[in-house]
Amino acid sequence: LAIVCNKPEDLVFYRQGSENARFLMCAHCGILVAVTFSRDAIVYGAVNALCLDTFAQFPAPEPSSPQLLNAEEKISRWTTLWIADVSFVYVES
């Protein structure tokens, strides 16, 4: 997964709760774009499919209640379900 934007300032990063995951928001419109988590030099990530032009091609979202999971259960879920090897690509327009 490559997260592409024009420059680093286009993304705002924040953490909440256990602070294990890093949420990425568009600095211009405030939309949550993706979330990442790093473990053992691997960056895992999940994308907000509604931000993609092809979002209609994705299956319906599955509801979850992450508040009911402890930190290790969240990490286990992320490393199982999220995309591994996330990179950030900055392309000046």
Side-chain angles (χ1 to χ4, degrees):
L1 170 66
I3 297 173
V4 180
C5 64
N6 290 333
K7 51 191 176 276
E9 315 69 82
D10 290 338
L11 294 174
V12 174
F13 299 90
Y14 74 96
R15 295 178 189 269
Q16 64 184 35
S18 66
E19 298 190 2
N20 287 315
R22 188 168 72 154
F23 295 82
L24 291 70
M25 294 178 58
C26 174
H28 305 285
C29 69
I31 299 243
L32 176 66
V33 176
V35 60
T36 63
F37 162 74
S38 298
R39 174 172 259 182
D40 301 327
I42 300 172
V43 179
Y44 298 86
V47 176
N48 178 357
L50 294 175
C51 295
L52 304 174
D53 292 336
T54 58
F55 75 91
Q57 297 175 10
F58 287 82
E62 292 186 27
S64 67
S65 297
Q67 300 85 356
L68 301 177
L69 303 175
N70 67 39
E72 280 307 310
E73 289 170 326
K74 288 178 186 179
I75 291 168
S76 176
R77 178 180 166 84
W78 299 337
T79 57
T80 301
L81 298 176
W82 289 6
I83 300 164
D85 297 323
V86 175
S87 64
F88 293 88
V89 179
Y90 300 104
V91 180
E92 293 290 331
S93 58

